[in-house]
Amino acid sequence: MYYQKLKKFPKNFLWGAASAAYQIEGAWNEDGKGPSIWDTFSKIPGKTFHGTNGDVAVDHYHRYKEDVDLMAKMGLKAYRFSISWSRIIPDGDGEVNQAGIEFYSNLIDELRKNKIEPIITLYHWDIPQASQDKYHGWESREVIEAFKKYCRAVFEAYGSRVRYWVTFNEQNVFTAMGYRWASHPPNVTDIKRMYAANHIVNLANAEAINLFHQMVPNDQIGPSFGYGPAYPITADPKDVLAADNADDFNNNWWLDVYCRGKYPTLVMNHLKNLGVAPTVTFEDTKLLKSAKPDFLGINYYHGGTFQQNQIEHPDKGNQHEKKISKTDPYLMQPKDAQAQTPETPMFDSVQNPYLDKTQWGWEIDPIGFRITLRRVYEKYQLPIMVTENGLGAQDKLEANGVINDQYRIDYLQTHIIEMQRALTDGVDILGYCAWSFTDLLSWLNGYKKRYGFVYINRNDDDQKDLARIPKKSFYWYRDFIRKN
Ligand code: BGP
């Protein structure tokens, strides 16, 4: 690559960290909160790692002041968190729960007092159980009105104090995990239902954006997408085509709808041929086209590498090692069950021989981050907010109270440099939220897989004292933010 002097991050760049309600709050049934689908699902035996759940999580609900205090000590400029819908409207579409409104109101005030920009996610996977029961959750159009009612309540309560809003977190992940693999609620394995629910979420996303623009005209809103660049394993045009197909199925299928109000032709045709395409009315298309996000949230962990499918091309033999993981939500083929992925004859997911992996087998690919930012920006021309990026690892609390997570520092540093290269290339980036601020509950990996700058003294079967202990990466990020 030719030599380029790196552009400086702008003064108002939002150096942040992120979290999600179910993964940190706890207090699952306190102060009027109703149960969400995760409260129910995590209690089905065998569904989560060692039966872990978010009943207590890291008790952020009771310790938010201590947590914000640590954020301030770190010099954080932004904090992304999600609102639990069933704390605001416990039964999904009935009365607003004032105690719920108050909790986030206090959190926002605490953040603002410390000059930390709140970034709110409206939906990080936890629809009220009541809406699931009453409307079949995202499978029914009626849920859109309920979602709008919840949005209206929080835009009204916090609109004047919060400038950045995320509609849906990783729609690609929660629909696939929830409806294809049954590894998330609502525990379904039916791709026709998955594509139908996904379409309803698209409509809800568009309605939320339009409502926001009416109610909070000067601030910004957009979805957060779990993006992975698609690489072909070789220069064989058949592999290149496979990677193109994967890109369409894994990325464009959502991003085109968010940014252009239209499903990509190839995937739509394929789904129609398979008889699993969603029903899209004329009115739907009008709505999707009318909603314009102000920015795109990108969650980046890793990409995917693809080869021509072995069923379609048996002559090729199986040269490349297939990728299979039961707990990686970014994998199109987490289980070797072709029946559940009738779309995938168009591509096979394989290991990338050039990349190292995390303890959980996720590829570590900082350059893929630059590729991500450039591809997405060039294609959709929207400012990008990096809403998640980070390393899950088994951290060790040493006898002297130190957590030496140099590997996390290395991970973040290499990714941030690639982000700076993308910025230098010309990508408009608003901020970077590392996943996560404190350690928290990993949906399917319990409390063992840690991401935080702050260690939480608990494990899967023992809540211990939930003490907050800054890791080495905490001080590294603090110094990094100061310098930048
Ligand atoms: C993203 C989610 C986060 C978080 C992260 C790490 O998909 O938006 O909520 O969980 O992935 O995933 P995991 O905990 O499975 O390692």
Side-chain angles (χ1 to χ4, degrees):
M1 186 67 188
Y2 56 91
Y3 175 77
Q4 250 180 329
K5 192 167 184 291
L6 289 183
K7 198 164 154 181
K8 283 214 167 91
F9 287 102
K11 261 212 148 51
N12 57 354
F13 193 82
L14 294 170
W15 291 108
S19 71
Y22 186 69
Q23 297 179 276
I24 59 165
E25 284 179 6
W28 78 284
N29 58 0
E30 281 179 46
D31 294 341
K33 178 182 172 294
S36 81
I37 53 172
W38 267 96
D39 290 312
T40 317
F41 178 79
S42 60
K43 285 161 197 153
I44 303 172
K47 281 295 172 187
T48 62
F49 183 76
H50 288 187
T52 41
N53 63 47
D55 285 4
V56 175
V58 302
D59 198 31
H60 172 76
Y61 188 77
H62 298 113
R63 299 175 195 227
Y64 74 91
K65 281 197 177 162
E66 186 184 346
D67 291 342
V68 175
D69 190 49
L70 280 167
M71 291 175 205
K73 289 205 167 89
M74 196 192 210
L76 222 55
K77 303 285 176 216
Y79 173 55
R80 171 182 178 230
F81 61 94
S82 80
I83 295 182
S84 154
W85 175 351
S86 63
R87 226 181 252 298
I88 302 294
I89 304 185
D91 67 353
D93 57 3
E95 290 294 304
V96 171
N97 173 30
Q98 276 317 315
I101 292 280
E102 222 165 274
F103 169 67
Y104 298 104
S105 182
N106 293 339
L107 173 61
I108 292 165
D109 285 347
E110 199 66 20
L111 290 166
R112 295 227 77 99
K113 211 166 75 193
N114 287 287
K115 301 201 167 48
I116 301 167
E117 191 74 50
I119 302 173
I120 291 185
T121 308
L122 290 166
Y123 186 76
H124 204 123
W125 307 354
D126 49 355
I127 191 172
Q129 183 62 46
S131 310
Q132 186 62 40
D133 298 340
K134 196 162 158 196
Y135 301 124
H136 291 289
W138 297 112
E139 289 181 79
S140 138
R141 285 172 184 257
E142 284 163 291
V143 84
I144 300 172
E145 270 316 305
F147 183 64
K148 273 177 78 177
K149 182 169 183 185
Y150 153 65
C151 290
R152 202 172 287 119
V154 295
F155 293 160
E156 219 160 67
Y158 317 127
S160 59
R161 286 176 284 166
V162 179
R163 290 163 54 207
Y164 298 98
W165 295 73
V166 169
T167 51
F168 284 87
N169 180 70
E170 294 189 351
Q171 185 179 335
N172 51 330
V173 172
F174 80 80
T175 52
M177 302 294 271
Y179 294 90
R180 186 196 290 274
W181 301 116
S183 47
H184 280 193
N187 206 7
V188 171
T189 50
D190 181 328
I191 65 156
K192 192 171 166 113
R193 287 173 65 185
M194 174 183 81
Y195 284 112
N198 181 68
H199 180 61
I200 307 288
V201 177
N202 280 330
L203 300 176
N205 177 66
E207 291 278 14
I209 289 176
N210 286 345
L211 181 68
F212 180 81
H213 285 148
Q214 281 165 29
M215 293 181 65
V216 197
N218 297 322
D219 293 331
Q220 303 197 23
I221 192 163
S224 270
F225 184 71
Y227 187 93
Y231 305 139
I233 187 77
T234 72
D236 181 339
K238 293 195 192 94
D239 290 333
V240 176
L241 186 64
D244 265 15
N245 290 339
D247 190 31
D248 256 355
F249 274 99
N250 293 347
N251 295 319
N252 303 342
W253 178 250
W254 288 274
L255 291 179
D256 280 12
V257 177
Y258 293 152
C259 305
R260 298 174 170 169
K262 154 177 191 311
Y263 286 101
T265 316
L266 167 105
V267 184
M268 194 47 128
N269 277 338
H270 193 69
L271 297 185
K272 278 183 184 158
N273 291 338
L274 289 170
V276 297
T279 308
V280 182
T281 68
F282 175 74
E283 286 301 313
D284 292 350
T285 307
K286 226 168 87 185
L287 170 65
L288 295 177
K289 281 200 183 297
S290 70
K292 304 267 184 244
D294 302 295
F295 64 88
L296 249 184
I298 290 292
N299 294 356
Y300 176 77
Y301 291 92
H302 61 74
T305 304
F306 302 93
Q307 69 176 3
Q308 54 188 295
N309 184 272
Q310 300 298 310
I311 294 176
E312 281 208 322
H313 303 278
D315 50 310
K316 263 300 248 189
N318 201 357
Q319 322 136 294
H320 307 290
E321 203 189 329
K322 286 224 193 155
K323 217 170 171 182
I324 298 160
S325 155
K326 288 203 165 118
T327 60
D328 182 348
Y330 294 94
L331 226 48
M332 184 75 172
Q333 295 144 305
K335 292 166 199 157
D336 213 9
Q338 202 73 40
Q340 283 174 305
T341 60
E343 312 97 310
T344 53
M346 304 183 85
F347 54 90
D348 259 353
S349 190
V350 292
Q351 309 278 356
N352 187 319
Y354 301 97
L355 300 173
D356 288 337
K357 297 198 183 77
T358 71
Q359 290 170 332
W360 267 267
W362 292 22
E363 286 166 355
I364 303 175
D365 180 15
I367 294 179
F369 190 27
R370 180 181 183 186
I371 295 172
T372 294
L373 296 166
R374 286 168 32 148
R375 283 189 183 173
V376 171
Y377 182 68
E378 201 62 82
K379 187 158 175 206
Y380 300 109
Q381 299 285 309
L382 281 171
I384 295 175
M385 175 85 80
V386 178
T387 36
E388 284 181 34
N389 172 236
L391 173 71
Q394 296 193 46
D395 298 331
K396 198 161 162 264
L397 176 61
E398 315 271 351
N400 56 0
V402 166
I403 300 104
N404 186 354
D405 58 343
Q406 184 58 43
Y407 38 87
R408 180 165 295 108
I409 298 174
D410 295 342
Y411 180 98
L412 296 172
Q413 214 158 23
T414 49
H415 282 75
I416 289 174
I417 286 176
E418 293 304 329
M419 175 170 71
Q420 193 170 8
R421 295 199 167 116
L423 185 89
T424 309
D425 292 333
V427 180
D428 183 1
I429 310 170
L430 300 169
Y432 172 87
C433 293
W435 185 265
S436 51
F437 182 66
T438 62
D439 289 339
L440 39 71
L441 171 69
S442 168
W443 305 94
L444 300 180
N445 306 283
Y447 295 93
K448 211 194 194 101
K449 190 178 188 185
R450 296 172 182 269
Y451 280 90
F453 292 112
V454 177
Y455 185 91
I456 301 284
N457 191 35
R458 72 155 295 163
N459 57 30
D460 292 332
D461 38 39
D462 185 355
Q463 281 168 34
K464 302 192 183 170
D465 60 2
L466 295 159
R468 273 78 172 133
I469 309 167
K471 303 178 192 176
K472 189 173 176 191
S473 58
F474 177 97
Y475 301 104
W476 168 80
Y477 200 40
R478 179 195 64 185
D479 295 346
F480 176 85
I481 294 173
R482 269 188 204 155
K483 273 189 247 143
N484 286 275

